C-alpha cells in the first residue's frame, strides 16, 4: 500500500532508477521504472500482517516501512542503489539477495501504522497510527517524543526523550510500544489522549513476529 521512487542525482538532474512498492501481500518489491520488470522482492512483515506505509530517504540509501501490526522497519538500500546506478545494459540488472538489508525493526504502536515519513533535518522517522498518535523516532528506534505532549523534547538532550534506548540489531524489539509507561503518558499527554491510549492498549493482543 505504498509507492516510492529510488533516484540518483539531485534536483533537475535526478533520475528514477527503480520503483519500490509494498502492499497487503507482505512483500517489498523493486521494479524497473521503464519496462516494468520485477527486479527484487523480500518479505517485509509477519504472516497475516500487511505493509501499510513506505517512505524512502532522499538519497535513496534507506527506506522505512510500517505495517498493520504497528511495527516500523528501517531497510538499508545502499547496495541496491549502487547496483542500479551502474551504467545501463541491454538486460535488467541481476540483484543479489543482500541488495536490501534490514537494519532495525521495532513495535512502534499497538495498532496499525498508516503512514511513515522521514525528516531529513533531524534524521528522524515519524510514525502515524490508528491509535491516533504521532511518534518521532531515531533510525535506531529511540523514541524522541509524542506529538501533542505537554512537555517539549530537545533533539540534543537525550534526557528529554521518552525512550533513549536503541533497538537491538537482530531482535524484534516488541517492547518498544510499551516502553513508555502509563505514568509517563499521563505526565506528557492530554487526559483524553491518555484514556484513548489505555483503551486501545487494553484491546490489543501482541502478535509474535516472524
Amino acid at each position: 500500500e505504498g509507492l516510492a521512487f529510488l533516484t540518483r542525482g539531485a534536483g533537475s538532474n535526478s533520475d528514477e532508477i527503480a520503483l519500490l512498492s509494498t502492499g497487503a501481500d507482505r512483500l517489498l518489491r523493486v521494479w524497473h521504472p521503464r519496462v516494468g520488470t520485477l527486479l527484487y522482492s523480500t518479505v517485509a512483515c509477519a504472516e497475516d500482517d500487511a505493509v501499510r506505509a513506505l517512505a524512502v530517504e532522499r538519497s535513496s540509501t534507506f527506506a522505512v516501512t510500517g505495517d498493520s501490526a504497528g511495527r516500523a522497519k528501517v531497510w538499508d538500500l545502499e547496495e541496491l542503489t549502487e547496483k542500479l546506478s551502474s551504467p545501463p545494459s541491454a538486460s535488467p540488472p541481476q540483484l543479489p539477495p543482500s541488495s536490501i538489508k534490514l537494519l532495525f525493526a521495532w513495535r512502534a504502536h499497538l495498532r496499525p501504522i498508516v503512514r511513515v515519513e522521514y525528516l531529513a533535518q533531524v534524521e528522524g522517522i515519524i510514525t502515524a497510527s490508528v491509535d491516533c498518535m504521532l511518534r518521532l523516532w531515531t533510525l535506531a528506534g529511540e523514541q524522541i517524543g509524542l506529538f501533542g505532549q505537554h512537555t517539549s523534547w530537545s533533539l540534543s538532550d537525550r534526557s528529554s526523550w521518552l525512550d533513549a534506548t536503541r533497538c537491538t540489531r537482530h531482535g524484534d524489539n516488541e517492547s518498544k510500544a510499551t516502553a513508555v509507561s502509563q505514568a509517563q503518558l499521563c505526565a506528557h499527554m492530554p487526559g483524553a489522549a491518555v484514556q484513548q491510549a489505555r483503551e486501545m492498549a487494553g484491546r490489543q493482543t501482541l502478535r509474535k513476529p516472524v
Side-chain angles (χ1 to χ4, degrees):
E1 298 177 9
L3 293 172
F5 281 105
L6 298 185
T7 60
R8 61 184 170 194
S12 60
N13 295 321
S14 64
D15 181 32
E16 290 82 13
I17 57 176
L19 175 66
L20 266 60
S21 70
T22 58
D25 60 1
R26 304 166 54 214
L27 294 178
L28 173 62
R29 290 186 172 93
V30 182
W31 303 89
H32 193 291
R34 292 174 178 81
V35 299
T37 304
L38 179 63
L39 301 175
Y40 184 91
S41 67
T42 187
V43 175
C45 65
E47 190 174 358
D48 298 327
D49 293 330
V51 184
R52 293 284 189 88
L54 169 68
V56 174
E57 183 263 345
R58 189 177 302 170
S59 65
S60 299
T61 55
F62 65 84
V64 182
T65 58
D67 65 33
S68 57
R71 298 185 188 95
K73 295 183 178 181
V74 178
W75 304 86
D76 181 358
L77 305 180
E78 187 171 4
E79 182 177 342
L80 174 69
T81 301
E82 181 178 349
K83 183 75 173 178
L84 294 174
S85 298
S86 302
S89 60
S91 59
Q94 297 298 312
L95 300 177
S98 61
S99 295
I100 295 180
K101 295 180 284 289
L102 180 63
L103 292 178
F104 293 104
W106 67 93
R107 190 69 174 269
H109 296 265
L110 294 177
R111 297 294 298 265
I113 291 175
V114 294
R115 184 155 184 178
V116 293
E117 289 291 344
Y118 174 70
L119 296 181
Q121 298 87 346
V122 301
E123 296 185 348
I125 300 166
I126 295 176
T127 58
S129 168
V130 298
D131 63 10
C132 302
M133 289 190 178
L134 295 174
R135 300 176 185 259
L136 179 62
W137 309 82
T138 68
L139 293 174
E142 300 154 301
Q143 186 173 181
I144 297 172
L146 293 162
F147 284 82
Q149 66 183 49
H150 288 311
T151 56
S152 60
W153 65 72
S154 170
L155 296 174
S156 60
D157 180 10
R158 295 173 61 88
S159 67
S160 70
W161 297 3
L162 288 183
D163 176 17
T165 58
R166 291 170 59 92
C167 288
T168 57
R169 283 294 296 268
H170 301 291
D172 54 46
N173 301 290
E174 284 290 283
S175 63
K176 276 291 180 177
T178 55
V180 179
S181 68
Q182 292 297 329
Q184 285 177 292
L185 278 177
C186 290
H188 287 85
M189 298 297 292
V194 173
Q195 181 60 32
Q196 186 175 42
R198 283 174 173 166
E199 292 174 355
M200 290 195 172
R203 293 197 299 265
Q204 178 70 12
T205 301
L206 294 179
R207 293 196 296 272
K208 188 175 181 180
V210 290

mmCIF file of all heavy atoms in Angstrom, residues 26 43-49 67 71 73 102 105 170-172 174 207-210:
data_model
loop_
_atom_site.group_PDB
_atom_site.id
_atom_site.type_symbol
_atom_site.label_atom_id
_atom_site.label_comp_id
_atom_site.label_asym_id
_atom_site.label_seq_id
_atom_site.Cartn_x
_atom_site.Cartn_y
_atom_site.Cartn_z
ATOM 1 N N ARG A 26 2.514 -8.588 1.935
ATOM 2 C CA ARG A 26 3.671 -8.617 2.837
ATOM 3 C C ARG A 26 5.004 -8.326 2.154
ATOM 4 O O ARG A 26 6.031 -8.247 2.819
ATOM 5 C CB ARG A 26 3.798 -9.973 3.553
ATOM 6 C CG ARG A 26 2.594 -10.413 4.329
ATOM 7 C CD ARG A 26 2.670 -11.880 4.713
ATOM 8 N NE ARG A 26 3.904 -12.174 5.404
ATOM 9 C CZ ARG A 26 4.560 -13.334 5.287
ATOM 10 N NH1 ARG A 26 4.107 -14.273 4.471
ATOM 11 N NH2 ARG A 26 5.671 -13.549 5.958
ATOM 12 N N VAL A 43 10.231 -10.364 1.894
ATOM 13 C CA VAL A 43 9.128 -10.308 2.854
ATOM 14 C C VAL A 43 9.405 -9.196 3.864
ATOM 15 O O VAL A 43 10.482 -9.142 4.454
ATOM 16 C CB VAL A 43 8.959 -11.663 3.574
ATOM 17 C CG1 VAL A 43 7.888 -11.563 4.654
ATOM 18 C CG2 VAL A 43 8.603 -12.754 2.573
ATOM 19 N N ALA A 44 8.431 -8.311 4.061
ATOM 20 C CA ALA A 44 8.659 -7.120 4.881
ATOM 21 C C ALA A 44 7.850 -7.089 6.166
ATOM 22 O O ALA A 44 7.984 -6.141 6.944
ATOM 23 C CB ALA A 44 8.352 -5.861 4.062
ATOM 24 N N CYS A 45 7.006 -8.105 6.407
ATOM 25 C CA CYS A 45 6.257 -8.139 7.658
ATOM 26 C C CYS A 45 5.855 -9.573 7.977
ATOM 27 O O CYS A 45 6.033 -10.480 7.152
ATOM 28 C CB CYS A 45 5.043 -7.216 7.620
ATOM 29 S SG CYS A 45 3.772 -7.685 6.432
ATOM 30 N N ALA A 46 5.293 -9.767 9.150
ATOM 31 C CA ALA A 46 4.941 -11.098 9.611
ATOM 32 C C ALA A 46 3.712 -11.637 8.882
ATOM 33 O O ALA A 46 2.937 -10.887 8.274
ATOM 34 C CB ALA A 46 4.670 -11.072 11.114
ATOM 35 N N GLU A 47 3.538 -12.947 8.964
ATOM 36 C CA GLU A 47 2.384 -13.588 8.357
ATOM 37 C C GLU A 47 1.093 -13.018 8.938
ATOM 38 O O GLU A 47 1.022 -12.721 10.137
ATOM 39 C CB GLU A 47 2.455 -15.099 8.588
ATOM 40 C CG GLU A 47 1.444 -15.892 7.807
ATOM 41 C CD GLU A 47 1.648 -17.385 7.945
ATOM 42 O OE1 GLU A 47 2.625 -17.790 8.626
ATOM 43 O OE2 GLU A 47 0.845 -18.141 7.383
ATOM 44 N N ASP A 48 0.091 -12.869 8.089
ATOM 45 C CA ASP A 48 -1.223 -12.306 8.447
ATOM 46 C C ASP A 48 -1.204 -10.790 8.643
ATOM 47 O O ASP A 48 -2.230 -10.200 8.979
ATOM 48 C CB ASP A 48 -1.806 -12.962 9.710
ATOM 49 C CG ASP A 48 -2.054 -14.451 9.525
ATOM 50 O OD1 ASP A 48 -2.397 -14.853 8.389
ATOM 51 O OD2 ASP A 48 -1.890 -15.206 10.494
ATOM 52 N N ASP A 49 -0.046 -10.158 8.472
ATOM 53 C CA ASP A 49 0.035 -8.699 8.521
ATOM 54 C C ASP A 49 0.181 -8.148 7.108
ATOM 55 O O ASP A 49 0.344 -8.900 6.145
ATOM 56 C CB ASP A 49 1.212 -8.247 9.390
ATOM 57 C CG ASP A 49 1.013 -8.593 10.854
ATOM 58 O OD1 ASP A 49 -0.152 -8.632 11.288
ATOM 59 O OD2 ASP A 49 2.018 -8.843 11.550
ATOM 60 N N ASP A 67 3.751 -1.439 9.316
ATOM 61 C CA ASP A 67 2.799 -2.496 8.979
ATOM 62 C C ASP A 67 1.562 -2.488 9.868
ATOM 63 O O ASP A 67 1.428 -1.667 10.780
ATOM 64 C CB ASP A 67 3.482 -3.866 8.976
ATOM 65 C CG ASP A 67 3.982 -4.313 10.345
ATOM 66 O OD1 ASP A 67 3.358 -3.985 11.366
ATOM 67 O OD2 ASP A 67 5.003 -5.031 10.394
ATOM 68 N N ARG A 71 4.461 -2.306 13.543
ATOM 69 C CA ARG A 71 5.921 -2.388 13.532
ATOM 70 C C ARG A 71 6.520 -1.455 12.485
ATOM 71 O O ARG A 71 6.020 -1.364 11.366
ATOM 72 C CB ARG A 71 6.383 -3.822 13.256
ATOM 73 C CG ARG A 71 5.935 -4.809 14.313
ATOM 74 C CD ARG A 71 6.523 -6.202 14.068
ATOM 75 N NE ARG A 71 5.922 -7.163 15.000
ATOM 76 C CZ ARG A 71 4.884 -7.928 14.706
ATOM 77 N NH1 ARG A 71 4.359 -7.875 13.488
ATOM 78 N NH2 ARG A 71 4.368 -8.748 15.600
ATOM 79 N N LYS A 73 10.122 -0.601 10.368
ATOM 80 C CA LYS A 73 11.365 -1.247 9.961
ATOM 81 C C LYS A 73 12.183 -0.291 9.103
ATOM 82 O O LYS A 73 11.631 0.421 8.262
ATOM 83 C CB LYS A 73 11.081 -2.538 9.192
ATOM 84 C CG LYS A 73 10.417 -3.614 10.040
ATOM 85 C CD LYS A 73 10.223 -4.916 9.275
ATOM 86 C CE LYS A 73 9.604 -5.981 10.170
ATOM 87 N NZ LYS A 73 9.417 -7.275 9.469
ATOM 88 N N LEU A 102 17.738 -5.568 6.288
ATOM 89 C CA LEU A 102 17.004 -4.999 7.415
ATOM 90 C C LEU A 102 17.982 -4.491 8.459
ATOM 91 O O LEU A 102 18.830 -5.249 8.946
ATOM 92 C CB LEU A 102 16.079 -6.053 8.024
ATOM 93 C CG LEU A 102 15.226 -5.602 9.219
ATOM 94 C CD1 LEU A 102 14.265 -4.488 8.812
ATOM 95 C CD2 LEU A 102 14.460 -6.789 9.791
ATOM 96 N N ALA A 105 14.188 -3.070 13.464
ATOM 97 C CA ALA A 105 12.748 -3.305 13.468
ATOM 98 C C ALA A 105 12.258 -3.188 14.906
ATOM 99 O O ALA A 105 12.919 -3.669 15.835
ATOM 100 C CB ALA A 105 12.412 -4.676 12.903
ATOM 101 N N HIS A 170 19.303 -7.393 15.729
ATOM 102 C CA HIS A 170 18.672 -8.599 15.208
ATOM 103 C C HIS A 170 17.514 -9.072 16.091
ATOM 104 O O HIS A 170 17.112 -10.226 16.006
ATOM 105 C CB HIS A 170 19.712 -9.712 15.052
ATOM 106 C CG HIS A 170 20.842 -9.342 14.142
ATOM 107 N ND1 HIS A 170 20.680 -9.182 12.781
ATOM 108 C CD2 HIS A 170 22.145 -9.061 14.407
ATOM 109 C CE1 HIS A 170 21.847 -8.840 12.237
ATOM 110 N NE2 HIS A 170 22.739 -8.758 13.195
ATOM 111 N N GLY A 171 16.978 -8.176 16.911
ATOM 112 C CA GLY A 171 15.851 -8.535 17.757
ATOM 113 C C GLY A 171 14.548 -7.985 17.212
ATOM 114 O O GLY A 171 14.529 -7.143 16.314
ATOM 115 N N ASP A 172 13.412 -8.482 17.752
ATOM 116 C CA ASP A 172 12.124 -7.975 17.280
ATOM 117 C C ASP A 172 11.715 -6.705 18.018
ATOM 118 O O ASP A 172 10.853 -5.974 17.565
ATOM 119 C CB ASP A 172 11.031 -9.045 17.428
ATOM 120 C CG ASP A 172 10.946 -9.600 18.846
ATOM 121 O OD1 ASP A 172 10.962 -8.799 19.802
ATOM 122 O OD2 ASP A 172 10.852 -10.828 18.990
ATOM 123 N N GLU A 174 9.876 -5.981 20.525
ATOM 124 C CA GLU A 174 8.434 -5.895 20.703
ATOM 125 C C GLU A 174 8.025 -4.960 21.832
ATOM 126 O O GLU A 174 6.917 -4.444 21.840
ATOM 127 C CB GLU A 174 7.861 -7.288 20.969
ATOM 128 C CG GLU A 174 7.760 -8.160 19.741
ATOM 129 C CD GLU A 174 6.679 -7.672 18.793
ATOM 130 O OE1 GLU A 174 5.502 -7.904 19.067
ATOM 131 O OE2 GLU A 174 7.026 -7.043 17.786
ATOM 132 N N ARG A 207 1.019 -9.791 18.769
ATOM 133 C CA ARG A 207 1.303 -10.983 17.973
ATOM 134 C C ARG A 207 2.801 -11.129 17.829
ATOM 135 O O ARG A 207 3.523 -10.161 17.646
ATOM 136 C CB ARG A 207 0.656 -10.866 16.578
ATOM 137 C CG ARG A 207 -0.845 -10.892 16.626
ATOM 138 C CD ARG A 207 -1.398 -11.166 15.228
ATOM 139 N NE ARG A 207 -1.070 -10.095 14.307
ATOM 140 C CZ ARG A 207 -1.836 -9.018 14.142
ATOM 141 N NH1 ARG A 207 -2.927 -8.851 14.858
ATOM 142 N NH2 ARG A 207 -1.502 -8.088 13.249
ATOM 143 N N LYS A 208 3.230 -12.364 17.876
ATOM 144 C CA LYS A 208 4.664 -12.655 17.764
ATOM 145 C C LYS A 208 5.082 -12.521 16.311
ATOM 146 O O LYS A 208 4.468 -13.075 15.424
ATOM 147 C CB LYS A 208 4.957 -14.058 18.263
ATOM 148 C CG LYS A 208 6.454 -14.354 18.357
ATOM 149 C CD LYS A 208 6.679 -15.720 18.962
ATOM 150 C CE LYS A 208 8.168 -16.015 19.071
ATOM 151 N NZ LYS A 208 8.411 -17.344 19.656
ATOM 152 N N PRO A 209 6.175 -11.769 16.026
ATOM 153 C CA PRO A 209 6.619 -11.591 14.647
ATOM 154 C C PRO A 209 7.327 -12.826 14.133
ATOM 155 O O PRO A 209 7.678 -13.718 14.883
ATOM 156 C CB PRO A 209 7.582 -10.400 14.738
ATOM 157 C CG PRO A 209 8.169 -10.543 16.114
ATOM 158 C CD PRO A 209 7.033 -11.067 16.981
ATOM 159 N N VAL A 210 7.543 -12.810 12.782
ATOM 160 C CA VAL A 210 8.314 -13.913 12.193
ATOM 161 C C VAL A 210 9.772 -13.757 12.562
ATOM 162 O O VAL A 210 10.245 -12.680 12.824
ATOM 163 C CB VAL A 210 8.156 -13.904 10.653
ATOM 164 C CG1 VAL A 210 6.753 -14.318 10.277
ATOM 165 C CG2 VAL A 210 8.500 -12.555 10.056
#
